Amino acid sequence: MRVSRSILPSLFLLSFTGGCAHQAASTNAASTQHPPELRLYALDCGRIDIHDMGFFTDGSQPNGQRGEMSVPCFLIRHPQGALLWDTGLDDVIAQSPDGVADPIGPRYFVQKTLHAQLAQLGLKPSDVRYVGFSHLHADHAGNANAFTGSTWLLQQKELTWATATPAPLGVDPTKFSTWRDAKVEPLDGDRDVFGDGSVRILFTPGHTPGHQSLQVNLPRTGTVVLSGDLCHTRANWEHHGVPGFNTSREETLSSINHVEALVKDSKGRFVVQHAPEDFRALPAFPSYLE
């Protein structure tokens, strides 16, 4: 289906929205087929230096502790085509070796561009069949405009919310302004991307109205769930902490409970995308999970 319609304004507010009805379906492990060649690459798509990590704790209690957040992208190679999960911080930031400062505190860094990392895999943006966005905050959609030849997989509720006027906090509409020209597949709940159960989009609202996470069922590694911003830190995942800036605490907790049960039932692995320790635990690019 085809749907037609600065540097990072206050990206510290990368979390200041959310909420929606929960519709995520449970995984039927018995129906999952493992393609002979299924690989998951973790790409370094930036870093955010945070001046107060307390804002990401339960209820957002400032504590003055500085910290760092990773900004990864993920490339899934499937026999039916490549899927890019999130597009990270805008590659233009790489032109500033000392990073780009946000007026209210954080500083954003890109050491190696998304384009360069895709090139290491022999890919151009036009070679990517699908781009899945966990949500449309600027640190997850920074390079969206490079993928007008790809099919964009995102919730209809997310697109409606993110294209509202005025733009929600944390959203920079210029980062995905080509959405009217891209092949947008607006979702309403979960999606089995390739039809074989190997890659599933999970509707996990609560951070933004159309937030989603990604489940990848790898033949050797098993189930891996990529968080998006379902949780910002490992502590929030382990203790069900919900920052105060999420629009819906109730929906966030419901989404966490759902994914927690899925990970437990599948004996899988949950990757908190913004947690540096989780990113470092993945194979260093261009190595991969399979």
Side-chain angles (χ1 to χ4, degrees):
M1 176 177 183
R2 197 177 187 93
V3 177
S4 296
R5 182 179 129 118
S6 92
I7 294 292
L8 312 179
S10 299
L11 248 191
F12 175 72
L13 300 172
L14 55 97
S15 313
F16 276 54
T17 37
C20 177
H22 181 43
Q23 302 175 10
S26 60
T27 300
N28 183 351
S31 66
T32 300
Q33 304 172 33
H34 297 299
E37 295 182 7
L38 184 66
R39 296 177 178 180
L40 173 62
Y41 296 84
L43 286 63
D44 184 351
C45 291
R47 183 183 92 238
I48 307 175
D49 284 358
I50 304 294
H51 73 288
D52 194 328
M53 289 297 295
F55 286 103
F56 298 94
T57 61
D58 190 62
S60 295
Q61 300 297 319
N63 57 25
Q65 296 181 3
R66 303 185 70 87
E68 174 185 311
M69 286 186 167
S70 58
V71 183
C73 307
F74 296 89
L75 194 284
I76 294 94
R77 301 203 86 155
H78 186 283
Q80 296 181 35
L83 181 149
L84 180 66
W85 178 250
D86 284 341
T87 66
L89 290 167
D90 193 332
D91 277 358
V92 73
I93 298 174
Q95 299 173 16
S96 302
D98 295 327
V100 174
D102 186 288
I104 61 174
R107 182 175 288 271
Y108 314 106
F109 298 85
V110 173
Q111 292 186 328
K112 191 167 186 179
T113 66
L114 171 58
H115 284 70
Q117 291 173 85
L118 290 176
Q120 278 187 255
L121 299 177
L123 296 173
K124 304 183 298 296
S126 59
D127 296 323
V128 176
R129 180 177 180 183
Y130 295 112
V131 178
F133 298 94
S134 60
H135 58 301
L136 290 174
H137 279 152
D139 58 320
H140 294 259
N143 295 295
N145 287 339
F147 297 93
T148 54
S150 306
T151 297
W152 292 15
L153 302 175
L154 71 163
Q155 300 293 319
Q156 177 63 59
K157 292 175 181 178
E158 184 73 8
L159 184 61
T160 300
W161 167 80
T163 55
T165 302
L169 292 172
V171 170
D172 181 352
T174 68
K175 303 302 179 189
F176 54 91
S177 59
T178 61
W179 71 268
R180 291 183 181 276
D181 302 315
K183 292 174 286 187
V184 176
E185 184 172 335
L187 308 180
D188 182 19
D190 292 2
R191 166 77 147 84
D192 183 347
V193 178
F194 296 104
D196 58 9
S198 63
V199 181
R200 297 174 181 269
I201 286 177
L202 307 174
F203 181 40
T204 53
H207 176 58
T208 63
H211 185 274
Q212 51 192 19
S213 304
L214 190 71
Q215 176 186 355
V216 185
N217 298 310
L218 296 160
R220 294 187 181 181
T221 303
T223 296
V224 177
V225 176
L226 306 175
S227 67
D229 277 1
L230 176 60
C231 299
H232 293 84
T233 66
R234 173 57 50 176
N236 282 1
W237 168 247
E238 294 172 351
H239 304 293
H240 293 199
V242 181
F245 46 70
N246 277 22
T247 297
S248 173
R249 181 181 183 88
E250 179 182 359
E251 294 298 335
T252 303
L253 289 172
S254 177
S255 294
I256 291 174
N257 287 334
H258 171 76
V259 173
E260 184 178 56
L262 184 157
V263 171
K264 181 178 179 180
D265 290 347
S266 64
K267 296 181 174 58
R269 175 178 182 176
F270 184 75
V271 176
V272 180
Q273 291 183 206
H274 278 310
E277 61 270 34
D278 281 22
F279 181 65
R280 288 192 296 265
L282 295 167
F285 184 81
S287 296
Y288 51 85
L289 293 174
E290 60 182 350

